Each structure stands twice: as structure tokens, then as C-alpha cells.
Amino acid sequence: MGSASALKTALITLAKMVDTWWPEMNAFITIGITNAKTEGYGRLVKQVERSACVRRQYLRTTIDRVGSRLREVDRQPHERSH
């Protein structure tokens, strides 16, 4: 089991959290209203943004690789066919 100091620290952290979130907690307890739907939509938006960022990075990398390869091919001497 943890020390008394660790328990005290955990209780202080819990008390600060309850103090910060008390209006929201009280609203849920008394009338059952939450912001869960809003939080869920916010999480969904962040996931879509991350996905778009990953895809954008993949496209940039692919375009850079293709462009680099094309520049490399352009620098090579061309053979003439007769």
C-alpha cells in the first residue's frame, strides 16, 4: 500500500478535480444533462483531422518521391533510336 503522503496527494488532486468540474457534475446529478454528445463529436472531429493529416503527409511523400525520380530520369542522357 502507498504512503500517507501519496494518499494525501491523490486526495488533493481528486478534490481539485471535483471543485473544477462541480457545476457539470451537479447538473448531471440533479437533471441528468451531460455534454457527452458534444465531447463525442469533438473526439470524432479530431480523429478525422488526424486521418486527413496522415493522408496528406502520405501524398506529399509520394509526390516528392515521384518528382525526385522524374528529375533523376531527366538528368540521365537520353538514347536516340534510329
Side-chain angles (χ1 to χ4, degrees):
M1 182 147 200
S3 68
S5 176
L7 179 60
K8 181 180 175 183
T9 302
L11 288 174
I12 290 171
T13 301
L14 176 63
K16 287 179 181 178
M17 187 274 305
V18 169
D19 189 52
T20 300
W21 289 97
W22 180 247
E24 290 82 359
M25 293 167 65
N26 189 40
F28 175 71
I29 292 167
T30 57
I31 55 179
I33 294 176
T34 71
N35 68 342
K37 192 178 283 189
T38 302
E39 292 289 336
Y41 285 132
R43 183 183 55 80
L44 181 62
V45 166
K46 285 183 181 181
Q47 285 178 325
V48 169
E49 287 174 346
R50 282 188 208 110
S51 177
C53 184
V54 168
R55 288 194 172 112
R56 199 168 29 248
Q57 183 61 39
Y58 172 78
L59 287 174
R60 282 188 194 128
T61 303
T62 303
I63 289 169
D64 288 347
R65 260 190 268 134
V66 169
S68 176
R69 179 68 181 124
L70 288 174
R71 285 188 294 278
E72 189 178 299
V73 168
D74 281 345
R75 284 191 292 258
Q76 295 174 356
H78 298 320
E79 294 182 20
R80 290 188 175 192
S81 56
H82 294 283

